[in-house]
Amino acid sequence: MEELLTSNLFVQQVKKLYKVGELLGLDIDTLEALSQPERVIQVKIQIRGSDGKLRTFVGWRSQHNSALGPYKGGVRYSPNVTQEEVIALSMIMTWKNSLLLLPYGGGKGGIRVDPKELTLKELEDLSRKYIQLIHNYLGSNVDIPAPDINTNPQTIAWFLDEYIKITGEVDFAVFTGKPSELGGIGVRLYSTGLGVATIAREAANKFIGGIEGSRVIIQGFGNVGSFTAKFLSEMGAKIIGVSDIGGGVINGNGIDVNKALEVAQRTGSVVNYPEGKKVTNEELLISDCDILIPAAVENVINKFNAPKVKAKLIVEGANGPLTADADDVIKQRGIVVIPDILANAGGVVGSYVEWANNKSGGIISDEEAKKLIIDRMTNAFNALYDFHKRKFADQDLRTVAMALAVDRVVKAMKARGLL
Ligand SMILES: NC(=O)C1=CN([C@@H]2O[C@H](COP(=O)(O)OP(=O)(O)OC[C@H]3O[C@@H](n4cnc5c(N)ncnc54)[C@H](OP(=O)(O)O)[C@@H]3O)[C@@H](O)[C@H]2O)C=CC1
Ligand SMILES: O=C(O)CCC(=O)C(=O)O
């Protein structure tokens, strides 16, 4: 029961925020102001299924904080998503955008749906209807959605087309993660994985003697997990474990990432990779490795399995994969955690490059975009590493990263008279 009450992502995020509040000396009123979203839009989305029957779904857009700029964050489609989860994810976006010095506040959206149960036409109708219902709250200087779990450039193309039809405004900068023909940049598709791999390499250099030959386990083999695996293997790391919702596979001799992708595409799950030992997700997380990258969903490392984690370094590809209790256990055990708001920020940095390119009418090349993302991620890592070492070496990296991010938001709020 206690686990049920405390495993909710919003509760976890508020706990993490209050810990940072102590470090920064923030009063309770400020913490309350930072915890609550500025606006949450809930919509009832109704579509006609291909069988002619009416189907009803619930969707949200949470706009957490706009002190630093327009709300920015992805939209997830998931059968488990709740309003509180979307609010928590929008709060994470506020800190992430602040830490990366982006001109954005935090937002996030979600629709409670299992996309695997819908036809392509039903998914398109659902996506278009969602935009019909929330378009008043969006805009390239207001709120800029992007992809997240189970959404992709096609989803964003439907969003954009519907937005243009309703408003008459041909503004490509309202959404990021678009196909390249619609003002997208090719790099955004893999920018989160590129960022996770870049941060893993920097962290491996500082904490575990380098990335070359290090043994990596990745949970989640979707957009973030699969591209992280690809970039890390190109950097010379050995991917020894991967998984998706159906379970995972471990092979100490290394997993061929291209082959794993082919197997996942052909059979529907990476668990069918032929060489290696099949494991559950729970077993995968506590298997022997140097670097563990949870890149699927939240709260997967909690107070129950944290004592059994064998990795030396955890790089958070997903948002919120460690609970606040897990943070304490993992810190006590001397395992370094690179927090989500830094580790997976390559996605929103890629989005920023796309948005800025749309806004300026520029024609950025993929090479330039890639370099901008790698540089911004590397600089953010180094800034955090140095600040932690100089000022707060006794704290974990999440607390220090959040302190930097929250401090910037608080200063902006104060300057604007919002606190
Ligand atoms: N996409 C982006 O740009 C960004 C994403 N993130 C975060 O990264 C995480 C992953 O997102 P993304 O890769 O885009 O999503 P995808 O939908 O592309 O992939 C999700 C992956 O996680 C697997 N998965 C889902 N549920 C579970 C579970 N309960 N246990 C184990 N595996 C599971 C899925 O398996 P299956 O395919 O079998 O369902 C799939 O392999 C999320 O936390 C997201 O918020 C963060 C920053 C940016
Ligand atoms: O690209 C973006 O705008 C946000 C991506 C996202 O949802 C995230 O970083 O969690």
Side-chain angles (χ1 to χ4, degrees), residues 90 208 264:
S90 68
I208 60 166

Side-chain angles (χ1 to χ4, degrees), residues 102-147:
L102 300 174
Y104 297 136
K108 198 88 177 195
I111 301 181
R112 198 173 172 84
V113 59
D114 184 350
K116 288 176 189 153
E117 290 180 358
L118 264 56
T119 63
L120 194 65
K121 174 74 173 67
E122 289 166 343
L123 263 183
E124 175 175 350
D125 290 351
L126 182 80
S127 306
R128 288 183 182 275
K129 198 70 193 273
Y130 177 61
I131 295 304
Q132 285 170 24
L133 295 165
I134 67 164
H135 76 271
N136 274 331
Y137 302 95
L138 305 180
S140 62
N141 293 319
V142 182
D143 187 349
I144 308 141

Side-chain angles (χ1 to χ4, degrees), residues 371-390:
K371 184 174 174 337
L372 280 172
I373 295 163
I374 294 171
D375 288 352
R376 177 74 66 124
M377 294 300 288
T378 311
N379 292 343
F381 175 87
N382 286 326
L384 174 62
Y385 180 82
D386 292 343
F387 186 69
H388 175 257
K389 210 167 165 188
R390 239 179 333 108

Side-chain angles (χ1 to χ4, degrees), residues 41-188:
I41 305 139
Q42 175 170 318
V43 289
K44 180 170 86 171
I45 312 171
Q46 294 194 298
I47 58 165
R48 286 268 161 215
S50 39
D51 54 4
K53 286 192 185 144
L54 188 66
R55 301 198 57 184
T56 304
F57 303 90
V58 186
W60 299 272
R61 183 74 186 170
S62 169
Q63 300 180 327
H64 176 254
N65 191 296
S66 58
L68 293 172
Y71 308 104
K72 181 92 192 82
V75 179
R76 68 171 51 171
Y77 290 180
S78 153
N80 308 315
V81 69
T82 61
Q83 186 187 75
E84 275 194 315
E85 178 179 306
V86 174
I87 295 173
L89 290 163
S90 68
M91 194 191 307
I92 294 176
M93 286 310 305
T94 300
W95 314 142
K96 192 183 299 183
N97 292 333
S98 174
L99 183 68
L100 271 289
L101 307 177
L102 300 174
Y104 297 136
K108 198 88 177 195
I111 301 181
R112 198 173 172 84
V113 59
D114 184 350
K116 288 176 189 153
E117 290 180 358
L118 264 56
T119 63
L120 194 65
K121 174 74 173 67
E122 289 166 343
L123 263 183
E124 175 175 350
D125 290 351
L126 182 80
S127 306
R128 288 183 182 275
K129 198 70 193 273
Y130 177 61
I131 295 304
Q132 285 170 24
L133 295 165
I134 67 164
H135 76 271
N136 274 331
Y137 302 95
L138 305 180
S140 62
N141 293 319
V142 182
D143 187 349
I144 308 141
D148 192 72
I149 292 182
N150 286 324
T151 52
N152 55 38
Q154 178 59 76
T155 323
I156 302 295
W158 291 326
F159 285 175
L160 176 68
D161 184 63
E162 198 58 31
Y163 185 85
I164 293 173
K165 276 187 183 139
I166 297 167
T167 64
E169 266 179 65
V170 188
D171 183 357
F172 282 177
V174 185
F175 301 95
T176 57
K178 302 176 291 285
S180 49
E181 299 75 21
L182 299 175
I185 53 168
V187 180
R188 176 60 185 89

Side-chain angles (χ1 to χ4, degrees), residues 50 53 70 93 121 138 145 279 281 307 309 311 332 350 360 370 387 389 394 406:
S50 39
K53 286 192 185 144
M93 286 310 305
K121 174 74 173 67
L138 305 180
V279 288
N281 268 290
V309 167
Q332 265 170 18
S360 65
K370 200 169 168 184
F387 186 69
K389 210 167 165 188
D394 55 329
V406 171

Side-chain angles (χ1 to χ4, degrees), residues 23 25 36-37 46 52 67 87 91 174 185 275 327 342 353 402 406:
L23 190 69
Q36 294 304 325
Q46 294 194 298
I87 295 173
M91 194 191 307
V174 185
I185 53 168
E275 293 115 33
D327 271 350
L342 172 63
V353 175
M402 279 184 67
V406 171

